[in-house]
């Protein structure tokens, strides 16, 4: 079965899918995106992802490329055409195609939409969760509007590459005062000695992760307290547990930070029980 992508109104072979060279996403990173997990034939938390897409588009004054219902249909159709039961669906909206000019193009230029889906074997993420991952820290060097899920991700790319080169799975950005903001593509959490979950408030300095939001519901179900406050790298190193969340990693324990072992260096029980309960609590809509 060849991979199929949706590009501006057409379903095309993934290998042939292309956007115009003057697409503003390509030229200025003038666009936004979402990634939804597909698990066991369900799209997870689609409503929250599309609510966040709506916010990102409004913040950047980009119109919806299609009605929301139509976009949901396209996402399902791309998943169906690619036969994905476990994996992810990616969507990207840019301000459209126009002669290069930093200012917005004249009215009437339609936003561009790309939707792709890919299979990811579920055991890969499960194995990472069972062994736990290493993170490194890097200085925060992103713009202030990281609350918008834009495709402008160069600092994130460089941070993730540095992590890879150092044998780690993720890089945590650290602000001027030593507080962790978030990972290059994940939110950061710790568990305190008395079992409280701590994650940075989403008002400033991070993306409000959909997995992060749903995990608050999971924590409530498991009677775990969540404190939304910033935490220092040092606190994380000395924490009972640490973990990361995202649509692609769900909940993945962190067992090492900058070469220093977290607790006994094994995934913590709180993170693993949150991971287990996640699927039951998250919204699940049939993927096709
Ligand atoms: N990344 N923070 C950043 C900077 C992210 O890029 C992401 C998601 C998250 C977690 O958000 P969510 O729980 O909604 O996935 C936090 C996606 C998965 C990516 O870029 O591939």
């Amino acid at each position: 079965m060849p991979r199929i992508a949706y590009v501006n109104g057409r379903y095309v072979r993934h290998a042939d899918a292309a956007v115009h060279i003057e697409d503003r996403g390509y030229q200025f990173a003038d666009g936004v995106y979402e990634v939804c997990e597909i698990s066991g034939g369900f799209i997870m938390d689609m409503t929250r992802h599309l609510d966040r897409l709506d916010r990102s588009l409004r913040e950047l004054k980009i119109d919806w490329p299609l009605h929301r219902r139509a976009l949901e249909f396209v996402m399902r159709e791309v998943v169906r055409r690619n036969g994905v039961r476990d994996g992810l669906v990616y969507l990207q909206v840019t301000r459209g195609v126009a002669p290069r000019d930093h200012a917005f193009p004249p009215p009437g230029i339609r936003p561009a939409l790309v939707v792709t889906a890919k299979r990811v074997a579920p055991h890969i993420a499960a194995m990472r969760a069972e062994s736990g991952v290493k993170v490194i820290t890097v200085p925060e060097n992103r713009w202030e509007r990281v609350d918008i899920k834009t495709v402008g991700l160069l600092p994130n790319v460089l941070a993730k590459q540095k992590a890879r080169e150092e044998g780690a799975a993720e890089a945590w950005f650290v602000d001027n005062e030593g507080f962790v903001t978030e990972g290059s593509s994940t939110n950061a959490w710790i568990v305190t000695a008395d079992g409280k979950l701590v994650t940075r408030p989403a008002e400033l300095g991070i993306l409000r992760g959909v997995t992060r939001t749903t995990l608050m519901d999971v924590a409530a179900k498991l009677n775990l307290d969540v404190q939304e406050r910033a935490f220092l790298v040092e606190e994380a190193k000395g924490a009972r547990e640490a973990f990361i969340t995202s649509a692609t990693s769900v909940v993945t324990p962190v067992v090492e930070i900058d070469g220093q072992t977290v607790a006994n260096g094994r995934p913590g029980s709180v993170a693993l029980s949150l991971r287990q309960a996640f699927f039951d609590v998250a919204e699940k809509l049939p993927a096709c």
Side-chain angles (χ1 to χ4, degrees), residues 22 41 76 101 160 199 230:
E22 286 193 304
R76 288 207 171 84
D101 176 3
K160 185 78 88 185
T199 194

Side-chain angles (χ1 to χ4, degrees), residues 191-198 224-225 227 229 240:
V191 182
T192 60
D194 58 354
K196 292 195 169 54
L197 306 182
V198 180
L224 295 166
D225 282 344
Q227 290 180 347
R229 64 167 173 83
R240 186 167 125 187

Side-chain angles (χ1 to χ4, degrees), residues 33 35 49 52 142 149 153 156 182-187 207-212 245-248:
Y33 74 106
V35 182
H49 281 284
R52 186 173 62 190
R142 300 174 300 161
K149 198 163 173 57
L153 291 170
N156 310 56
E182 64 179 335
S184 67
S185 64
T186 56
N187 288 121
L207 179 76
R208 188 185 293 275
V210 168
T211 318
R212 175 188 178 283
T245 58
S246 71
T248 44

Side-chain angles (χ1 to χ4, degrees), residues 38-96:
I38 303 164
S39 179
F42 295 101
I43 303 189
M44 310 296 286
D45 281 325
M46 192 191 216
T47 304
R48 281 181 170 154
H49 281 284
L50 293 183
D51 287 350
R52 186 173 62 190
L53 175 70
D54 182 56
R55 180 177 181 278
S56 297
L57 290 171
R58 272 188 290 114
E59 291 295 321
L60 298 183
K61 300 187 171 68
I62 298 175
D63 291 333
W64 274 74
L66 297 173
H67 288 300
R68 182 162 169 157
R69 288 271 168 253
L71 177 55
E72 287 175 9
F73 175 84
V74 170
M75 290 168 72
R76 288 207 171 84
E77 187 60 15
V78 171
V79 172
R80 188 185 72 75
R81 290 187 188 220
N82 288 281
V84 178
R85 274 188 60 78
D86 293 285
L88 52 91
V89 55
Y90 175 88
L91 72 91
Q92 177 170 322
V93 182
T94 74
R95 203 180 300 279

